[in-house]
Amino acid sequence: MNKTLNKKKKFLIEKYYLYIVTVAMIIFCSVFNKNFLSINNMINILTQMSFTTIAAFSMTLLLITGVMDLALGSTMALAGIASVVVYVETNSFFASIAVAIIFGVICNAVTGSLINKLHLHPFIVGLGTQQIYRGIVLLYTGGAVISQVGDFKKFGQGRLFGVIPYPILMMFVIMLVLWVILEHTRFGRNTFATGGNSEAARASGVNTQRTVLTSFLIAGIFTGIAGMMLMSRTASGYPNAAEGYEMDAMTAAVIGGTSFTGGVGTAFGTLIGGLVVAIINNILTLMGVQSYIQQILKGMIIIVAVAIDVNSRRKKMGA
């Protein structure tokens, strides 16, 4: 009887530990700083996390499929710069968003094709394309910031009905899209199968190469939108924007329960992972902790999250 209860408790803790930790962090932060639970601070947290979390949705889809994209930040910068340039020339939000998505898809198509056709490791491809895409941005801009962008900032700074910031709205829309893809489509099932065991998936009739490439293309849409929104938020075309975003995205995804080794992950879990990272950043900022120390803590969080994931996998395999 006691063993059964202990197993149930263990199961519940493993299943809901992330939400327990999140609630505990919110309580701790609200006690530590009276401004933490203010409406303005909550909106600020959600707005700040939206850019990273949209990128994390992209990374989540790829990690579930068993690959990763270390060029994510550079792709965001390239797509974002392209969207700024197009908006300045056309004054059209539609054209700007379309171009950002197109550039995100093209960059990811190149990355996915290199992995599929040349059978290169995603890590190596990511390192190379990261430098290429960032280099293109710097070459085009000459390293200079594109300013005087007019109303381009409205998408990143504006609010729906003057209440809900557009970045927050877009974050939830993309989460819903990813949830539908993963939970209610055949392609979604194929991503889990491919990431969980590519050989078994291939033997059961799944076209794993097409699944990987399609994952990159969909992730490219999310990445392009994230890049456009980030540039809009800063009201400029900043060539060094989104540096390190691939690490922040990976942190949010893994903390949210996405397995670093593939085959496991949820859209909602990534949202909570993004919230955890945002809360940590926010409280450290309120405490006046230096950004350099925050970077060190992020690195430690990634190591701990991956260690927990790997250890959990080993236990399941040994069970």
Side-chain angles (χ1 to χ4, degrees):
M1 185 69 177
N2 288 332
K3 287 184 178 180
T4 303
L5 289 173
N6 288 334
K7 284 184 178 180
K8 286 183 177 180
K9 286 181 180 179
K10 187 177 180 181
F11 172 78
L12 289 173
I13 290 173
E14 288 180 351
K15 186 175 181 179
Y16 298 108
Y17 83 95
L18 180 61
Y19 309 107
I20 296 170
V21 169
T22 304
V23 172
M25 285 179 61
I26 291 174
I27 294 173
F28 170 79
C29 293
S30 62
V31 171
F32 185 84
N33 191 299
K34 62 181 182 180
N35 296 321
F36 180 79
L37 284 179
S38 66
I39 298 298
N40 287 338
N41 192 52
M42 288 294 101
I43 291 177
N44 179 56
I45 289 175
L46 290 173
T47 302
Q48 292 301 323
M49 71 176 275
S50 61
F51 310 102
T52 304
T53 305
I54 292 173
F57 290 140
S58 174
M59 189 67 78
T60 296
L61 178 59
L62 295 175
L63 288 175
I64 289 173
T65 314
V67 291
M68 67 175 72
D69 183 17
L70 292 184
L72 185 147
S74 296
T75 301
M76 284 178 63
L78 181 54
I81 286 291
S83 69
V84 171
V85 172
V86 168
Y87 184 82
V88 171
E89 293 296 326
T90 66
N91 204 38
S92 169
F93 275 113
F94 177 79
S96 180
I97 295 172
V99 166
I101 291 174
I102 289 170
F103 268 78
V105 170
I106 290 174
C107 289
N108 275 25
V110 171
T111 303
S113 296
L114 288 173
I115 293 171
N116 275 343
K117 301 301 181 182
L118 300 182
H119 304 290
L120 298 175
H121 195 283
F123 183 83
I124 301 300
V125 175
L127 286 179
T129 52
Q130 179 187 67
Q131 298 301 313
I132 293 170
Y133 301 155
R134 183 70 66 176
I136 292 172
V137 172
L138 293 172
L139 180 64
Y140 179 82
T141 62
V145 177
I146 300 175
S147 55
Q148 304 298 323
V149 295
D151 290 334
F152 182 73
K153 65 182 180 182
K154 284 185 178 180
F155 192 69
Q157 298 181 13
R159 299 189 177 203
L160 182 65
F161 305 125
V163 179
I164 306 174
Y166 288 127
I168 297 176
L169 181 64
M170 184 58 69
M171 176 178 66
F172 282 104
V173 168
I174 292 181
M175 184 197 74
L176 181 61
V177 170
L178 181 59
W179 174 76
V180 171
I181 290 173
L182 293 176
E183 302 296 333
H184 298 281
T185 67
R186 181 179 179 181
F187 166 73
R189 293 190 291 273
N190 288 345
T191 62
F192 285 105
T194 301
N197 189 323
S198 60
E199 293 299 326
R202 197 176 296 114
S204 64
V206 176
N207 188 328
T208 54
Q209 286 197 346
R210 184 168 63 190
T211 300
V212 169
L213 182 58
T214 304
S215 294
F216 268 105
L217 296 180
I218 295 173
I221 296 173
F222 298 164
T223 304
I225 292 173
M228 185 266 186
M229 289 179 58
L230 183 63
M231 296 293 182
S232 179
R233 179 68 176 176
T234 59
S236 62
Y238 186 57
N240 289 318
E243 283 190 338
Y245 261 57
E246 54 276 349
M247 291 296 105
D248 289 344
M250 197 175 298
T251 303
V254 175
I255 288 178
T258 301
S259 176
F260 194 73
T261 53
V264 177
T266 64
F268 186 69
T270 297
L271 178 72
I272 299 300
L275 178 60
V276 170
V277 174
I279 290 174
I280 292 173
N281 289 338
N282 185 259
I283 194 62
L284 290 176
T285 300
L286 290 176
M287 291 169 60
V289 177
Q290 290 184 358
S291 59
Y292 307 118
I293 297 177
Q294 293 185 34
Q295 188 172 350
I296 293 171
L297 291 174
K298 285 182 184 178
M300 294 171 64
I301 289 170
I302 292 176
I303 294 173
V304 172
V306 172
I308 292 173
D309 172 52
V310 172
N311 186 56
S312 177
R313 279 292 186 107
R314 285 175 179 172
K315 285 183 178 179
K316 289 180 180 178
M317 291 177 65

